[in-house]
Amino acid sequence: MWLRCTSKCVFASLSRSYNNVLSRSFNIAAFMPEAAGFEGVSDRAALQEFSLSNSDHFWAAVARHRLTWISPFHTVQDCDLSRGRIKWFEGGKLNVSVNCLDRHVHTCPEKVALIWERDEPGSEVKVTYRSLLDMTCRLGNLLRRRGVKKGDCVTIYMPPCPLAVASMLACARIGAAHNVVFAGFSAEALAERIRDAQSSTVITVNQGVRGGRVIELKKTVDTAVEGCPSVKQVFVAMRTENPVVMTDRDVSMEEEMKLEDAVCEPAAMDSEDVLFLLYTSGSTGKPKGLVHTQAGYLLYALLTHRYVFSYHDGDVFGCVADIGWITGHSYSVYGPLANGGTTVLFESTPVYPNPGRYWEMVQRLRINQFYGAPTAIRLLLKYGDHWVHKYDCSTLKTLGSETGGICIAPRPSDPDAEIVPGMAMRPFFGMKPVLVDGEGKLLTSNNTSGPLCLAQPWPGMARTIHNNHQRFIETYCQPYPGYFFTGDGAHRSEEGYYQITGRLDDVINVSGHRLGTAEIEDVVNHCPAVAESAVIGYSHDVKGQAVYAFVVLKKEVGVPEEDLSQLLKDMVSKSIAKYACPDQIQFVQRLPKTRSGKIMRRVLRKVVEQDLGGLGDLSTLDDPAAVQEIVQGHQDLCSGERHSPLKVHAS
């Protein structure tokens, strides 16, 4: 699940100051109150060891102390990684929205829960816990009145805003699952996710505003639901004052919310009831809906938020991830709110109205922890340091690069412990990363590399793929039996620190968006002129990775390369999203394949990376000569050569 949709194992942090509690005279009970009951635990290293050797005791204590339960759990965990069975805190009942809202309203109702950093700098809106609970309850009652039941799945297609958070929490309050779809996805991509989730209800806004542009989100939903017969109603909130066409199925959300009561009885949910689905691209071409459940997910989100970032009461936490991604779920919404924190919802872009936007926001909102995407940092590098120095960022204590459920991170650690830039470094509490070789044998020494697996289950894991548990097992549990396969490769340094070296599957990470190569290939292959295609990712200075497509055309295609290339890019933009567009399209006569017909993407990557010495043994290919043709074509493309209309044969 690219563990961004389970519990991702990549985190890089630079910390200017850490936890004041972690002084040289370490007080374990002040650091983690539960640890006072852990026999023999007096420092952080002992706590880490206890969390592994006494896993049930550790997680039970943390769950009892940090979550509010309606009924207590009787079993801490029932997990078998080899079979893909993952269950935590069985017997327990709770409500996630109560844990994120009600219990804080009882103690500090006027505390700011959300700071909505709208597109225009200086127009931020602050929402208290009392107001957010009111909004959530009214919407929860509205959903109930309109027929949404416990166990239903509501699709949310909204930009980061308070009503989007209230929509997530309202679903949780009445026992419905939510399926948040990134508001940059096309109508076709949205429709596919609505159909797979079998949603009868969609929540959206009339328009989005981002980077100074107005985005017609309601129109996108209208187009999407034409192909979704399951959709019976669409709730429409007003982000702008511009009216939109409303149909019989559309509901004016805010107007209807005014008619509802401000008290909504929370549903008592089993620990393993579904909290949400979140779709991520997979290598089969069909996006997969990762399933997260109630108690385990919430506990892990709040615990990592508290200890990885050293979040303390009164801090302002600034995660700039969109709510449509797992990072936004975990560290813009659920983690901070469960901890009673103040969290920022960022609606804009890092360069609007100028490249100083992040740092101006840090100064204005007095942000203490800033959590941003590596892509954004790479983008801002080219603008120089003066945009950072222009603003007062002295409130910042921690900088982090984003992921959705942190498993390995530089913190928590001893106050003077080193931080190596770009390294994930240390396992979080309860996490046991291991490296294996190609045969699945453990690599026990340091200064070694291999596929990264996790040897013990943890509460924040995704439980399955929606409607396809076999795919879940095959992807994450079968590659290395007895271990959970992250899909990443990693290096363990001489000091025992972990560094993620990259993905080991056919998934590309473009500007923080995960794209399955098969998903892009499926769109390209729908072009009548295309016989087949192969898509790979390659390094890009700004985006992290960019998309490179190799395309084999059908016989006698009399279309100029430039025209066909633009057509294919337009198709990908329309079917998936603009960021999924291939940066380069190379037309080839054939693709390098094994004798069994498997496309050798490894070879294609080496060609694009111009690492011809790393091509390796090509004798297993059905036609090794195809590689030389592709090498020459790539060199021609790089040199800017263009050819007359192609007349090629399908492979």
Side-chain angles (χ1 to χ4, degrees):
M1 29 198 109
W2 177 224
L3 290 183
R4 263 195 282 212
C5 277
T6 55
S7 284
K8 183 59 186 121
C9 303
V10 182
F11 180 88
S13 136
L14 298 173
S15 181
R16 295 181 55 225
S17 65
Y18 186 47
N19 190 341
N20 291 332
V21 174
L22 283 175
S23 63
R24 293 188 182 276
S25 55
F26 188 81
N27 185 330
I28 191 67
F31 175 69
M32 180 178 284
E34 304 94 319
F38 299 160
E39 186 177 354
V41 173
S42 59
D43 57 26
R44 198 212 65 83
L47 179 59
Q48 176 68 29
E49 176 57 34
F50 185 90
S51 73
L52 294 174
S53 60
N54 295 271
S55 177
D56 279 16
H57 189 176
F58 174 83
W59 289 115
V62 172
R64 291 189 181 107
H65 182 78
R66 295 176 190 263
L67 295 179
T68 298
W69 296 89
I70 297 170
S71 301
F73 54 89
H74 55 64
T75 303
V76 180
Q77 62 171 299
D78 177 15
C79 303
D80 183 348
L81 291 181
S82 64
R83 297 169 55 191
R85 186 179 73 238
I86 305 158
K87 295 182 179 181
W88 285 83
F89 310 120
E90 286 185 284
K93 291 183 181 293
L94 76 169
N95 186 278
V96 165
S97 76
V98 169
N99 278 270
C100 290
L101 298 176
D102 301 57
R103 61 179 181 171
H104 308 311
V105 170
H106 291 323
T107 58
C108 48
E110 301 309 316
K111 182 177 182 179
V112 174
L114 307 175
I115 302 177
W116 181 23
E117 175 68 2
R118 302 201 300 174
D119 194 50
E120 289 299 326
S123 63
E124 71 273 9
V125 174
K126 296 182 178 181
V127 179
T128 66
Y129 273 92
R130 187 199 300 273
S131 296
L132 185 56
L133 176 60
D134 180 277
M135 200 184 309
T136 297
C137 286
R138 291 179 187 275
L139 182 51
N141 286 327
L142 174 60
L143 292 173
R144 273 180 174 156
R145 175 163 64 85
R146 298 285 303 197
V148 178
K149 305 182 300 299
K150 182 177 179 179
D152 289 350
C153 184
V154 175
T155 292
I156 300 171
Y157 186 72
M158 305 174 81
C161 61
L163 268 177
V165 175
S167 297
M168 297 165 71
L169 293 171
C171 289
R173 195 165 193 88
I174 67 173
H178 59 69
N179 164 35
V180 182
V181 179
F182 172 58
F185 272 129
S186 68
E188 290 182 34
L190 172 60
E192 185 172 24
R193 288 154 174 80
I194 292 173
R195 286 192 295 266
D196 192 74
Q198 299 170 303
S199 292
S200 61
T201 300
V202 176
I203 304 177
T204 190
V205 296
N206 64 329
Q207 297 173 318
V209 183
R210 191 168 188 266
R213 298 186 302 110
V214 173
I215 305 162
E216 301 292 345
L217 297 185
K218 172 61 163 54
K219 289 183 179 179
T220 301
V221 172
D222 288 343
T223 302
V225 299
E226 288 176 4
C228 301
S230 66
V231 175
K232 306 303 180 187
Q233 56 187 349
V234 176
F235 292 86
V236 183
M238 298 296 290
R239 168 59 183 90
T240 69
E241 297 180 358
N242 301 324
V244 291
V245 175
M246 300 286 280
T247 69
D248 291 341
R249 69 171 166 255
D250 297 331
V251 179
S252 296
M253 190 163 83
E254 289 131 314
E255 292 301 314
E256 292 295 315
M257 286 171 62
K258 293 176 184 176
L259 305 177
E260 298 296 336
D261 195 83
V263 176
C264 178
E265 183 66 22
M269 304 299 291
D270 291 338
S271 293
E272 284 299 325
D273 283 339
V274 176
L275 177 60
F276 63 84
L277 308 183
L278 193 61
Y279 284 82
T280 180
S281 293
S283 57
T284 67
K286 179 180 172 60
K288 53 190 177 186
L290 274 298
V291 176
H292 279 284
T293 54
Q294 308 274 330
Y297 169 80
L298 187 65
L299 179 66
Y300 200 80
L302 72 83
L303 200 68
T304 50
H305 171 259
R306 165 65 182 86
Y307 285 101
V308 170
F309 297 99
S310 187
Y311 184 86
H312 286 84
D313 188 42
D315 286 349
V316 176
F317 188 79
C319 173
V320 293
D322 193 279
I323 59 165
W325 307 119
I326 187 62
T327 305
H329 279 52
S330 300
Y331 301 117
S332 292
V333 180
Y334 286 115
L337 294 182
N339 281 324
T342 298
T343 180
V344 175
L345 297 173
F346 184 68
E347 183 182 48
S348 193
T349 77
V351 293
Y352 181 78
N354 58 56
R357 177 58 185 271
Y358 281 165
W359 321 120
E360 184 275 334
M361 178 180 71
V362 167
Q363 173 182 287
R364 175 166 38 85
L365 302 183
R366 300 188 61 77
I367 290 173
N368 303 111
Q369 295 88 7
F370 181 85
Y371 200 27
T375 298
I377 303 304
R378 286 190 291 263
L379 171 65
L380 295 175
L381 281 173
K382 71 178 184 179
Y383 293 103
D385 293 345
H386 70 279
W387 287 107
V388 182
H389 297 314
K390 183 177 179 180
Y391 300 100
D392 178 6
C393 297
S394 59
T395 58
L396 279 178
K397 296 188 291 184
T398 304
L399 299 174
S401 70
E402 65 179 61
T403 187
I406 301 160
C407 292
I408 306 178
R411 303 296 197 206
S413 58
D414 293 332
D416 298 328
E418 69 174 327
I419 290 180
V420 181
M423 267 197 176
M425 298 190 73
R426 304 175 179 93
F428 188 66
F429 300 123
M431 303 307 304
K432 189 176 182 180
V434 296
L435 301 182
V436 297
D437 63 15
E439 298 179 354
K441 296 179 181 178
L442 282 183
L443 299 173
T444 57
S445 63
N446 287 344
N447 195 22
T448 190
S449 301
L452 176 64
C453 296
L454 295 164
Q456 291 187 187
W458 67 102
M461 298 176 71
R463 300 311 196 244
T464 187
I465 293 172
H466 182 56
N467 288 332
N468 198 343
H469 191 60
Q470 185 59 36
R471 184 181 177 192
F472 179 88
I473 294 172
E474 292 172 354
T475 304
Y476 308 114
C477 304
Q478 286 185 354
Y480 302 98
Y483 300 104
F484 186 89
F485 177 46
T486 68
D488 289 324
H491 176 76
R492 188 167 55 231
S493 70
E494 286 286 359
E495 299 80 10
Y497 301 149
Y498 287 88
Q499 180 169 19
I500 310 304
T501 55
R503 295 296 296 160
L504 298 178
D505 60 10
D506 294 323
V507 175
I508 306 170
N509 194 323
V510 179
S511 298
H513 308 301
R514 294 190 63 247
L515 296 164
T517 57
E519 189 175 13
I520 303 173
E521 290 166 3
D522 186 61
V523 175
V524 171
N525 293 344
H526 270 82
C527 176
V530 174
E532 63 176 337
S533 64
V535 169
I536 64 163
Y538 66 100
S539 296
H540 190 281
D541 289 342
V542 173
K543 295 189 289 186
Q545 283 188 297
V547 179
Y548 196 112
F550 294 87
V551 178
V552 178
L553 300 178
K554 295 178 180 177
K555 295 180 181 180
E556 304 296 322
V557 176
V559 181
E561 280 189 36
E562 292 87 349
D563 294 348
L564 190 52
S565 180
Q566 188 58 52
L567 172 63
L568 296 176
K569 291 180 179 181
D570 291 343
M571 289 176 63
V572 173
S573 290
K574 181 176 183 294
S575 296
I576 305 176
K578 288 184 178 179
Y579 60 75
C581 257
D583 293 68
Q584 296 283 357
I585 295 179
Q586 180 178 340
F587 297 101
V588 299
Q589 294 193 37
R590 49 197 163 173
L591 297 171
K593 297 181 179 180
T594 63
R595 291 180 176 85
S596 64
K598 179 182 178 182
I599 297 172
M600 295 294 287
R601 288 181 175 80
R602 173 186 62 79
V603 171
L604 296 175
R605 290 190 191 96
K606 293 298 182 182
V607 172
V608 173
E609 293 166 358
Q610 300 184 28
D611 181 17
L612 301 186
L615 286 173
D617 181 13
L618 302 179
S619 62
T620 59
L621 296 181
D622 182 55
D623 185 1
V627 177
Q628 186 53 47
E629 295 173 4
I630 290 171
V631 170
Q632 185 60 53
H634 176 66
Q635 292 173 346
D636 292 346
L637 192 63
C638 290
S639 64
E641 293 185 17
R642 286 294 181 266
H643 305 289
S644 58
L646 294 178
K647 295 185 179 180
V648 299
H649 297 279
S651 132

